[in-house]
Amino acid sequence: MSATAPVTPVLVVGSGPTGLTLACDLARRSVPVRIIDRSEEFPRSSRAKGPNPRSLEILEDLGVVDRVLAEGSAPLPMRKYRDGLPVADADPSAGTHPTPDAPYAHGRLIAQWQLEEILRDRLAEHGVRVELGTEAVGLSQGPESVTVALADGRSIEARYVVGCDGGRSPVRKMLGLPFEGRTAEEQVMVCGDVEAEGLDRTLWHQWFDEDGAVMLCPIPGTRTGWWFQAGPERDGAGAPVPPSLESFRRLFAKHTRLPGDRLTRATLLSTYRVNERMVDRYRVGRVLLAGDAAHVHSIAGGLGMNTGIQDAFNLGWKLARVATGRVSSALLDTYEEERLPVAAWTLDVSSERLRATLEAIKRPGGGLDTAVTGQTTGLDRGYRWSSLSPAGTVAAGPAVGLRAGDRAPDAPCRDTATGEPVRLFEAFAGPHFTLLGFGPDTADALRTVEAAHGDTVRAYGVDAGAPRDLTDHAGHARTAYGAGPDTDALVLVRPDNHVGLIAPATEGGAVVDYLDRLVGTAGAA
C-alpha cells in the first residue's frame, strides 16, 4: 500500500446480511466504509429462511423492507407426515396480526441470497460496493489504525475493522479469541437447495419417522426451488453419508413414499452440525466482531441471521460517531455490554427450542412449529442493564413497563399541520436520535434540546404544540409509551430505535447532558 493511501474509517470483512446491514448503516451516516469478501462471486445459497419481526423493523429503517416483503412470502403452514401420510397441519403465524406498536406480526420467508442482493443494491445507492475476491489474512493494530494484510499482497489501513465473516471467522482467529462451547456431533443434518415437481408450494412439508426425517420448504421467488433438510443416510460404520442428489433422492423416497426422481437438481450441499459457541468479548482494540463471527447456535427458532442483523444495527450508530472522531472510543464498549448478554440468551433459547422440537417430532404430528414462540420474534430484546439506560419510567408507566433500554414501540399518529398519517417508525427512520415530547409541558424542553443538538436530534411534540407536532389521534402512542392523558414526559429514542432516556417533561437539560456524552457537545458535533 502506498504511504499516501488514505486511511479508511471502517473496513467490514464479510458481505453476508450482518456485514451488509452494518455497511448500509454506516454509509447512510456518510461514514466512508469498505466491505470486502474473499468469495470470487456472490453466493446463491438460500441458507437462512428470512428476517424475523425485529429484523423487519430494522430493514424498514434502512429503507428496504418494501422490497423484502414483495420478494419474500408470509410464513407457510406446516404439514406433518408419518409413514408417508399427512397427520397434522400447523400454522405458527395463525392468529398473529400487526398491532399499533408492532407492525410486523411475523417474519418473512426469503432466500438469503435475495436478502443480500437487496442490501447490496441499497449499499450501492450510497456509492459503496462489495469488493469480491479480497481475502483478509493478517491484522496488525497500531495506536491509530489497523492494517489488514490481503492474500494478494496488498493491504488496507482502517481506523476500525469489523469481522462479519461467519462462524469460521478468520478475523476472530487472527485476534486469537477462543470460541467456547460445544459441537453436538450426533445432531447432524444434510441440507441443500433442490428442484422438485409435484408438491404443493403453499405448504412447508415435514416427514418425520422414527428412523429419520425429510423437510421441504418452497423457496419464494422460484418456480420449483425448495429448501431440503434431512437426517443423513449412514454408511456401514454409522458415519453420515455426504450430501448428494442421489442420497437426497433415496431419503426423499424413503420418507415420503414418492418417487425419488421428483428431485431433479441439488445444489449448495452442506452437512450441518449443531454448534453452540460464542466469544467472551466483542472488541479487541480497534477490531470488533458481529454475527456468526461472535456466536453460533442451533437453527431452532431462526435466530442466527437475525441476531447478526441486530448486532450490526446496535453497532452502526456507535461506530459512526467514534470512527469520525466525534466521541471517545469508550462508546464502543457499550456494544459488547449490550449485545454479549443477548448472544448468551440466544444460545440458551435456541438450545431449549431444539430440545423441545426433538421431543415433539417423536410423536406423530410434531414438527418445526414447536421451535416458534414469542421469544423468536426479537421484539422483547432490550438493554435495561446497559450503562446507556439510566433508570426512569414515564410517570404512568408501571402498567406498561416501558423503560430505558427497551425497544421503542411504533404507533400511528397524524402530522398536526397537514393531517397526514405518520407512524412513529417513520419519524425514527434514519441516522438521528428522536425526542418525543408527550404533552404541552414538554414544549420548552423540546426547543432546548433542538437548540443544543438540532444536527443530531429530531424533536416531535405529541399533542404538545411543538415545531414538529404529532397528533396522537387514537391514543396509541400514549398507550405504547405509558404516558396517560394527564402525563407529560420526554422520551429519547436512540438511532437503533431503543429507548435511551425517559425524563420529566421539563427536564430538557437532562436530555442535553445525555446527548453530550453520547454524541459530543454541541460545539464538537
Side-chain angles (χ1 to χ4, degrees):
M1 185 183 71
S2 167
T4 60
V7 178
T8 299
V10 180
L11 173 66
V12 177
V13 181
S15 67
T18 300
L20 289 168
T21 298
L22 178 60
C24 284
D25 200 19
L26 291 168
R28 70 172 177 169
R29 300 173 191 279
S30 301
V31 177
V33 58
R34 292 177 67 178
I35 178 169
I36 63 174
D37 199 291
R38 64 181 177 180
S39 300
E40 294 294 334
E41 57 186 24
F42 295 121
R44 298 287 288 184
S45 173
S46 299
R47 290 179 288 176
K49 290 185 175 65
N52 66 13
R54 179 56 182 155
S55 292
L56 288 173
E57 294 178 356
I58 292 170
L59 296 170
E60 177 180 348
D61 200 283
L62 294 177
V64 299
V65 75
D66 288 345
R67 187 172 165 191
V68 171
L69 295 176
E71 296 189 18
S73 74
L76 297 176
M78 300 178 182
R79 176 158 293 171
K80 281 76 69 72
Y81 301 79
R82 196 76 161 194
D83 299 323
L85 298 175
V87 293
D89 287 355
D91 186 352
S93 63
T96 59
H97 305 285
T99 60
D101 66 320
Y104 305 105
H106 42 71
R108 199 75 175 167
L109 282 177
I110 187 170
Q112 185 170 321
W113 68 264
Q114 291 174 295
L115 179 59
E116 291 173 355
E117 187 175 77
I118 291 168
L119 288 168
R120 284 198 302 271
D121 289 348
R122 185 61 168 164
L123 187 59
E125 293 174 9
H126 295 294
V128 181
R129 298 185 182 277
V130 177
E131 300 172 40
L132 289 174
T134 307
E135 182 180 0
V137 295
L139 290 173
S140 176
Q141 294 204 53
E144 301 296 332
S145 65
V146 184
T147 299
V148 177
L150 304 179
D152 61 6
R154 296 179 297 136
S155 62
I156 299 172
E157 186 179 5
R159 292 195 183 99
Y160 289 91
V161 173
V162 186
C164 304
D165 48 346
R168 296 184 174 89
S169 172
V171 171
R172 184 188 67 241
K173 293 173 181 176
M174 285 185 270
L175 291 173
L177 290 178
F179 207 34
E180 299 293 345
R182 73 181 190 101
T183 298
E185 295 291 347
E186 74 284 359
Q187 294 174 342
V188 184
M189 186 165 58
V190 287
C191 312
D193 289 5
V194 302
E195 300 290 326
E197 298 280 2
L199 294 173
D200 186 346
R201 291 183 62 83
T202 67
L203 296 169
W204 184 344
H205 302 273
Q206 301 169 16
W207 291 269
F208 291 109
D209 295 322
E210 292 184 5
D211 59 348
V214 164
M215 293 154 279
L216 279 166
C217 181
I219 301 173
T222 66
R223 188 181 66 82
T224 58
W226 297 77
W227 284 293
F228 181 99
Q229 298 168 288
E233 295 183 300
R234 301 277 179 172
D235 62 20
V241 172
S244 66
L245 175 59
E246 293 72 22
S247 178
F248 283 5
R249 282 175 165 173
R250 290 192 295 269
L251 288 165
F252 179 81
K254 174 182 176 181
H255 293 291
T256 69
R257 278 62 167 180
L258 297 171
D261 59 8
R262 284 199 180 183
L263 302 187
T264 56
R265 187 168 176 262
T267 59
L268 304 167
L269 306 179
S270 63
T271 299
Y272 169 80
R273 286 178 172 82
V274 173
N275 278 288
E276 296 172 347
R277 298 181 180 275
M278 61 181 288
V279 294
D280 61 0
R281 54 193 301 201
Y282 274 30
R283 177 188 175 201
V284 178
R286 292 178 172 270
V287 183
L288 302 102
L289 299 175
D292 286 355
H295 44 75
V296 295
H297 44 82
S298 159
I299 60 175
L303 293 170
M305 178 189 73
N306 288 290
T307 304
I309 288 173
Q310 291 152 33
D311 281 349
F313 204 54
N314 180 285
L315 176 61
W317 68 274
K318 300 171 182 178
L319 186 55
R321 306 301 297 191
V322 173
T324 52
R326 298 188 178 191
V327 295
S328 161
S329 63
L331 181 60
L332 295 179
D333 292 336
T334 68
Y335 167 58
E336 177 181 301
E337 178 189 7
E338 293 182 341
R339 294 304 296 174
L340 193 62
V342 172
W345 174 89
T346 302
L347 262 68
D348 288 343
V349 168
S350 59
S351 176
E352 192 279 329
R353 287 295 88 205
L354 176 63
R355 181 202 59 76
T357 301
L358 292 176
E359 283 298 315
I361 63 177
K362 293 178 182 178
R363 303 181 298 274
L368 300 187
D369 50 302
T370 305
V372 182
T373 71
Q375 292 178 307
T376 60
T377 65
L379 297 177
D380 62 346
R381 293 299 89 202
Y383 314 120
R384 291 184 176 185
W385 60 82
S386 171
S387 59
L388 300 185
S389 305
T393 60
V394 177
V400 173
L402 187 74
R403 288 170 48 186
D406 291 350
R407 164 191 166 272
D410 194 12
C413 296
R414 288 180 182 156
D415 185 299
T416 303
T418 66
E420 292 295 315
V422 179
R423 291 167 50 226
L424 288 185
F425 276 7
E426 293 172 331
F428 299 163
H432 56 271
F433 285 77
T434 305
L435 180 62
L436 301 177
F438 289 92
D441 287 350
T442 64
D444 287 344
L446 294 175
R447 286 191 288 269
T448 296
V449 174
E450 283 207 316
H453 285 288
D455 60 331
T456 305
V457 178
R458 292 185 184 176
Y460 294 87
V462 182
D463 302 331
R468 294 190 191 93
D469 201 3
L470 301 175
T471 300
D472 186 19
H473 60 288
H476 291 304
R478 282 187 174 274
T479 298
Y481 285 81
D486 300 320
T487 302
D488 290 0
L490 298 166
V491 180
L492 182 68
V493 179
R494 303 175 355 177
D496 59 356
N497 297 352
H498 282 261
V499 176
L501 179 71
I502 299 172
T506 59
E507 294 295 325
V511 179
V512 171
D513 290 344
Y514 181 88
L515 288 167
D516 285 347
R517 182 163 65 97
L518 287 193
V519 303
T521 63

